[in-house]
Amino acid sequence: MFVHDTLLNRLKRGCATMAYPAGPAPALPERHGGALRVEAAKCQADCAACVAVCPTEAVTRPPDRRVALDLGRCLFCAECVKACPTGAITQTGDHRLAVRRREDLVLGEAGNEQLRLAGVLDEKLRRLFRRSLKLRQVSAGGCNACEADTNVLGTIGWDLGRFGIQFVASPRHADGLLITGPVSKNMELALQKTYAAVPEPRIVIAVGACAIAGGPFVGHPQVHNGAGVLLPVDLFIPGCPPHPLTILDGLIRLLGRLEESGRKTG
Amino acid sequence: MNRTTPFALLTNGTALPWADVPEWPLPEFLRHVGAELDRGERLNSLFGVPEGGALRLVAVLAFDAGNTLVVGRSRPFSGSFPSLTATHSQAHLFEREIWEQHGAVPENHPWLKAVRKDHGAGPAVGDFFRVDGREIHEVAVGPVHAGIIEPGHFRFQCAGEEVLHLEIALGFQHRGIEEALAGGPHRATIYQMETVAGDTTIAHATAYASTLEALAGTEAPLRAQWLRAIALELERLANHTGDLGALAGDVAFLPTASACGKIRGDFLNLTAMLCGNRFGRGLVRPGGGPHDGGTERLGKLRERLETSLAEVQQAAVWLWDAASVRTRFEHTGHLHRKQATEIGLVGPAARACGLVRDVRFDHPAGWFRFAQVPVSVWPDGDVFARARVRWLEIQRSGEFLREQLDAAPDGETRSPLPPLAPDTLAVALVEGWRGEVCHAALTGADGRLRRYKITDPSFHNWTGLALALRGQAISDFPLCNKSFNLSYCGFDL
Ligand code: SF4
Ligand code: SF4
């Protein structure tokens, strides 16, 4: 008798949706590491140990300059953290990673050791989208893990719908695009057409290292190095893939829903 | 193996000198491949290796009953080659791929089209098979779909609701993974292997690691092999659970859909306990990985595993008890065992047609040499069978994990990888959750990768979906599609 059974079970379980953002955020996996922090001032002269191990050239050190780490390119493999002899690159354990401007992802210089987290949309857009943001997702050349962890936000534990955020079937019904993947050349036209079909005003969100800068496939002739090459991007959410909590933080941060729930945002 | 073959035998996860791979003039090579396929053997991979200005073909076949793989190659040739496809359907996509990658035309191929190439405006621009008739209409779907899904294009020929033919055009996710491997391994290679198909990170990374270890003449430490097996089964649990939930969702059976959506995440979080990443990034490395479970962590993992297994058990009971679900699952998207054999179907989709075919059992490598998982089969070939096999496998993976977590071998998880042997061929198969992942690698005289061929299970199985749709109502496409749940990026590379 599954009806009786499921109802009973349902009652016993109660509400499975997390209290966050009103309550505490769920913990990241212990070995996750979270965001990176880069203090270029700690670098030794002539050391480029981090540069030598980075798979995507996210860390660079041009001659006579300090180390710069581009979290947009970063796969969060932590090889640079292990390689650094002076502890200049460290993991902060912070799940919050979303930024509004591409250049805000470059860490290292004094004052820029940590991310400048995304602020809220401009007032006009915020008023429009705060209670209802419909997104069309476009998957364009990645590995499908960013998609998977975006999808997770629709499950009962996360319940993205409670913020009025919803993924819709048609770009005509959407307020913006959420793009994953480096944008393969083979998806270029489809992405352009989907974007054009979204009525204005519209926003673009790039989720994952691929969509920000090409990810593990950066530099391949078969891909563009991120959505920003083709479209104006309003929100960058780094990670490979970003943890669902990181994606959620980015989305509700953009809508100003974090302040509303009384959380510190910065 | 108690019969002779002209091919060279090769155990899963081992290597042999390129010079020892038997070679024949092209016609003879094709005849030998055809003869083995006629005997019922299976084509794991068929690919080209450029040689000067010419091309060689290399075939990797599985003799499942003999528990061995075999390899052979043609002499270098230029121009075209007679197609095997007309008589051996298993070869059809491989031959199209060879044409696309090397320009060698398979003569008399019945449907010669690009596999992943852009035709100026995306891979879906081009000729599709068309059915003529006044009542016939064509439906085109994709590349951008309704949900959060990867891009692909589906072209249906329908008479009213009924699908007469479905053609699938892929390639939208093509990002040049194989091309980038030439001259490697490079620093980014392992990260690209982990993202061939993001939901199959462990299986592809394990196939890659085993291939490199075979080329280097070494093995990962036992504890690393054990950890890979643990992670592989966790990957299977997460994805199969997600699939059961998605199938339930597609027939509007919400209790199981919502429960499984959550439990899937719980399984992913078990993988994240091991390495910090829900998809297992960073866990598998050639020579063995940096992460060790640690007794306390593994104990906790074992406890949480029990909770999740109990929950998925509950969600599955609801699903199987519901008559409304059974009527939607049964007789939908039917595939005959004979068709499955012909097209070389792999994984749960093949086992759901009654085929006893599982790399963990037929070609055990790594930890599976010491610990077996029984093969789960179901005879009917429909959506019900594909769901049922997943459920059987969830239980068996759970059982395997219980046993193995209690029997961890001691020791290191990593060892240095010696240099790769020059002019050597290695092949590794891994039973990923979708089926057989095949990696084949050839090194050059410099010990660098000269050719690397990846065959994701989806490469074999997309044809199965197309066949299963014949005679179905087009409205059942989402359900049929979900019952296969194939990878676009794994196919597109
Ligand atoms: S953590 Fe990021 S920056 Fe550091 S090595 Fe890995 S990819 Fe490069
Ligand atoms: S950023 Fe990483 S996880 Fe996301 S699609 Fe790209 S490769 Fe996959």
Side-chain angles (χ1 to χ4, degrees), chain B residues 96-111:
Chain B
R96 282 167 58 176
E97 189 184 44
I98 290 164
W99 173 62
E100 178 172 278
Q101 292 183 339
H102 309 285
V105 180
E107 284 163 37
N108 298 322
H109 190 289
W111 198 241

Side-chain angles (χ1 to χ4, degrees), chain A residues 1-2 5-6 9-10 13 16 29-32 50-57 75 77 79 82 136-152 155-158 167-171 182 184-187 189-191 194 216-218 220 222-223 240-241 243-244, chain B residues 116-118 121-123 143-151 171-177 179-180 187-188 191-192 194-199 253 255 258-259 261-262 264 268-269 272-279 281 285 290-293 297 300 311 314 317-318 321-324 434 489:
Chain A
M1 258 308 287
F2 78 86
D5 218 37
T6 48
N9 193 283
R10 190 69 204 75
R13 291 175 72 108
E30 196 191 319
R31 287 180 167 168
H32 185 285
C50 52
V51 178
V53 295
C54 180
T56 58
E57 292 172 24
L75 306 181
C77 68
E79 290 298 331
K82 284 180 239 161
R136 173 62 269 190
Q137 203 275 328
V138 179
S139 162
C143 80
N144 197 30
C146 280
E147 289 84 337
D149 266 353
T150 303
N151 246 328
V152 160
T155 58
I156 49 174
W158 301 88
F167 290 96
V168 292
S170 167
S184 49
K185 300 263 163 84
N186 285 358
M187 267 305 281
L189 182 71
L191 174 63
T194 310
F217 317 110
V218 57
H220 288 193
Q222 295 83 354
V223 303
C240 185
H243 193 275
Chain B
R116 311 182 173 98
K117 269 234 173 80
D118 188 357
V144 179
H145 302 289
I148 305 181
I149 329 175
E150 295 182 79
F172 297 94
Q173 300 277 64
H174 182 51
R175 52 214 186 281
I177 293 184
E179 292 90 325
R187 222 187 293 157
Y191 302 91
Q192 295 182 356
E194 290 183 320
T195 52
V196 167
D199 50 25
F253 188 69
S258 48
K262 177 188 164 292
R264 169 185 168 276
L268 292 178
N269 288 337
M273 280 181 81
L274 295 173
C275 64
N277 183 291
R278 286 154 53 89
F279 298 89
R281 309 282 158 84
R285 291 290 178 268
H291 296 290
D292 192 334
R297 187 183 304 269
K300 245 189 262 166
E311 285 180 6
Q314 173 74 80
V317 166
W318 298 331
D321 270 2
S324 63
R434 280 194 189 90
C489 54

Side-chain angles (χ1 to χ4, degrees), chain B residues 15-255:
Chain B
L16 89 171
W18 184 227
D20 292 353
V21 179
E23 68 169 11
W24 304 284
L26 180 70
E28 208 175 319
F29 164 80
L30 293 169
R31 209 167 49 241
H32 286 314
V33 174
E36 296 300 356
L37 294 179
D38 284 337
R39 288 202 183 96
E41 309 302 2
R42 216 154 49 73
L43 193 57
N44 305 100
S45 204
L46 177 68
F47 55 95
V49 175
E51 184 103 51
L55 185 72
R56 278 181 196 273
L57 296 185
V58 179
V60 181
L61 293 127
F63 291 11
D64 291 335
N67 305 103
T68 188
L69 308 178
V70 303
V71 289
R73 57 180 175 159
S74 77
R75 295 234 170 92
F77 68 97
S78 310
S80 58
F81 64 99
S83 164
L84 277 171
T85 300
T87 42
H88 302 90
S89 323
Q90 283 187 54
H92 80 121
L93 267 171
F94 289 114
E95 292 188 338
R96 282 167 58 176
E97 189 184 44
I98 290 164
W99 173 62
E100 178 172 278
Q101 292 183 339
H102 309 285
V105 180
E107 284 163 37
N108 298 322
H109 190 289
W111 198 241
L112 189 58
K113 283 181 74 164
V115 178
R116 311 182 173 98
K117 269 234 173 80
D118 188 357
H119 304 282
V125 180
D127 287 334
F128 285 85
F129 184 85
R130 297 193 73 145
V131 180
D132 279 333
R134 263 176 24 135
E135 305 288 317
I136 305 299
H137 64 109
E138 191 180 60
V139 180
V141 184
V144 179
H145 302 289
I148 305 181
I149 329 175
E150 295 182 79
H153 180 84
F154 302 91
R155 192 68 70 96
F156 301 88
Q157 311 292 319
C158 301
E161 273 282 290
E162 188 189 344
V163 178
L164 300 178
H165 183 74
L166 162 63
E167 187 170 346
I168 303 171
L170 301 173
F172 297 94
Q173 300 277 64
H174 182 51
R175 52 214 186 281
I177 293 184
E178 269 185 18
E179 292 90 325
L181 272 154
H186 310 290
R187 222 187 293 157
T189 299
I190 179 65
Y191 302 91
Q192 295 182 356
M193 294 299 106
E194 290 183 320
T195 52
V196 167
D199 50 25
T200 313
T201 295
I202 298 296
H204 274 289
T206 300
Y208 170 69
S210 315
T211 305
L212 255 58
E213 285 153 11
L215 288 171
T218 185
E219 256 194 32
L222 265 190
R223 191 167 168 99
Q225 298 186 27
W226 171 82
L227 209 57
R228 288 173 189 176
I230 299 284
L232 186 72
E233 296 313 309
L234 284 174
E235 187 166 88
R236 196 179 322 277
L237 278 178
N239 284 293
H240 280 4
T241 302
D243 281 353
L244 280 190
L247 282 164
D250 263 353
V251 298
F253 188 69
L254 299 186

Side-chain angles (χ1 to χ4, degrees), chain A residues 36 50-51 53-59 68-71 73-81 89 91, chain B residues 191:
Chain A
L36 296 183
C50 52
V51 178
V53 295
C54 180
T56 58
E57 292 172 24
V59 212
L69 192 154
D70 178 0
L71 268 193
R73 276 189 170 224
C74 177
L75 306 181
F76 295 82
C77 68
E79 290 298 331
C80 56
V81 179
I89 309 179
Q91 295 177 306
Chain B
Y191 302 91

